[in-house]
Amino acid sequence: MAKVGVIHYNWPGFSFEELLRFAADTGYQYVELKITDVWQENDDNPERNAEQVRRKLASYGLKVSALAAGNDFLQVDEDAIRFEVERMKRICGLTRILNEEAVVRSEGGAPKESIPRARWLDALTECFRRCVDFVDETGVALAIDNHGYVTNDYTILLPLLQRLNHPLIGTNLDTMNYRWYGHDLQVCNRIYELMAPYVKHTHFKDGFGSLAEYRGAALGDGEIDLHHALKCLREVGYTGVYCAEYEGPEAAGGVGYAKCYRWLKEHV
């Protein structure tokens, strides 16, 4: 049976409790959480919060698929690197509390004037390599998202994964983001093929266009070849969660997310 989830993102008017109720009532089995769902600024005991959140989800018959770290690993300053890596270590521990099979959805990082593009790959590699020991210790996979202006560039992300060459460090495949970044649809399909062996988690997302022209849509209503993405994942034996992300015009009341669930239920 396919694992179908939903991301805790872009839910206007929904409290956390209302999101969980909606997800369970709709049929979703998993929820990807934000780090702020368990670890607020100046909170000295996020581990206790993670235990409470796990129980709360269980009361709705839900499990955590991923915890979004909100990290920035595009760093070259030693103090900044140490801060980000230590923070990620604690996030891996929180993820293990939330669900034994959950992954960390990791960012790459944000572009900085102080770090030219020619140094991006080396900077990312250094930060992720420093995570290997605690990734091995906790058994928590890092799924590097193709998000923003750094890791949506597959000529950065793919070599990063190849350099790291670690069974617990892979990618979160967001089906729309490569198109948003500016790749045409044929290139997106080729990227799905290249990335499939590294996929640890997904964001199934649909829409139209790139950058300022981007418009979100419910799954199956946009221009993304979702069936090709599914084919690529099936061919490599992907057994993780198919997580819906919706950025279309029917966000209110969860209408768009209900449509996404129906598409996933029919096709996955």
Side-chain angles (χ1 to χ4, degrees):
M1 181 178 178
K3 302 172 184 176
V4 177
V6 64
I7 185 173
H8 182 197
Y9 172 76
N10 194 27
W11 286 83
F14 276 71
S15 68
F16 185 58
E17 188 98 16
E18 288 167 339
L19 161 68
L20 300 183
R21 184 179 302 114
F22 179 91
D25 289 347
T26 302
Y28 286 108
Q29 306 154 291
Y30 292 83
V31 178
E32 178 193 305
L33 300 183
K34 302 180 289 185
I35 186 59
T36 52
D37 292 327
V38 296
W39 193 3
Q40 298 283 344
E41 187 176 357
N42 299 321
D43 189 339
D44 61 357
N45 197 346
E47 289 77 16
R48 176 187 58 203
N49 298 342
E51 292 279 8
Q52 293 172 346
V53 169
R54 177 175 178 150
R55 290 194 294 270
K56 175 63 71 176
L57 265 73
S59 73
Y60 286 96
L62 298 167
K63 294 181 180 179
V64 176
S65 68
L67 181 61
N71 60 297
D72 186 346
F73 273 9
L74 192 63
Q75 307 289 348
V76 293
D77 175 77
E78 181 61 26
D79 288 341
I81 292 171
R82 288 177 180 171
F83 172 82
E84 289 288 343
V85 171
E86 284 301 310
R87 179 177 177 272
M88 182 64 82
K89 181 177 181 179
R90 195 162 189 185
I91 289 171
C92 283
L94 295 173
T95 304
R96 177 54 69 241
I97 293 169
L98 290 166
N99 181 11
E100 292 79 3
E101 297 179 348
V103 307
V104 171
R105 181 172 64 82
S106 170
E107 300 290 339
K112 301 169 183 64
E113 290 186 6
S114 60
I115 307 176
R117 188 184 186 283
R119 298 184 67 187
W120 285 4
L121 181 55
D122 287 343
L124 292 170
T125 301
E126 176 63 20
C127 281
F128 279 104
R129 278 183 176 159
R130 293 198 192 189
C131 298
V132 167
D133 285 347
F134 59 78
V135 164
D136 283 335
E137 180 181 348
T138 60
V140 174
L142 304 183
I144 306 170
D145 202 3
N146 56 300
H147 184 257
Y149 293 95
V150 177
T151 48
N152 257 319
D153 184 343
Y154 76 99
T155 68
I156 296 291
L157 180 55
L158 184 58
L160 173 62
L161 296 171
Q162 291 169 335
R163 278 188 179 189
L164 294 169
N165 190 29
H166 193 283
L168 289 175
I169 302 180
T171 187
N172 177 77
L173 178 63
D174 186 306
T175 55
M176 181 70 219
N177 278 0
Y178 288 118
R179 175 64 175 141
W180 168 88
Y181 181 75
H183 298 298
D184 67 33
L185 294 172
Q186 284 188 320
V187 172
C188 288
N189 282 350
R190 178 57 180 153
I191 295 172
Y192 302 154
E193 296 166 9
L194 294 170
M195 291 298 174
Y198 299 97
V199 174
K200 304 295 183 185
H201 192 264
T202 63
H203 287 169
F204 264 67
K205 183 166 64 182
D206 208 346
F208 302 89
S210 302
L211 299 173
E213 304 302 317
Y214 164 61
R215 293 178 290 119
L219 296 179
D221 290 345
E223 65 182 355
I224 300 302
D225 191 347
L226 299 172
H227 293 286
H228 185 70
L230 282 174
K231 177 176 178 287
C232 293
L233 293 172
R234 287 170 177 150
E235 286 179 348
V236 299
Y238 175 72
T239 59
V241 174
Y242 294 86
C243 186
E245 181 177 358
Y246 176 74
E247 294 178 335
E250 297 179 286
V255 172
Y257 274 113
K259 289 183 176 181
C260 289
Y261 173 78
R262 292 193 291 270
W263 190 93
L264 287 170
K265 187 67 174 177
E266 180 179 353
H267 296 286
V268 173

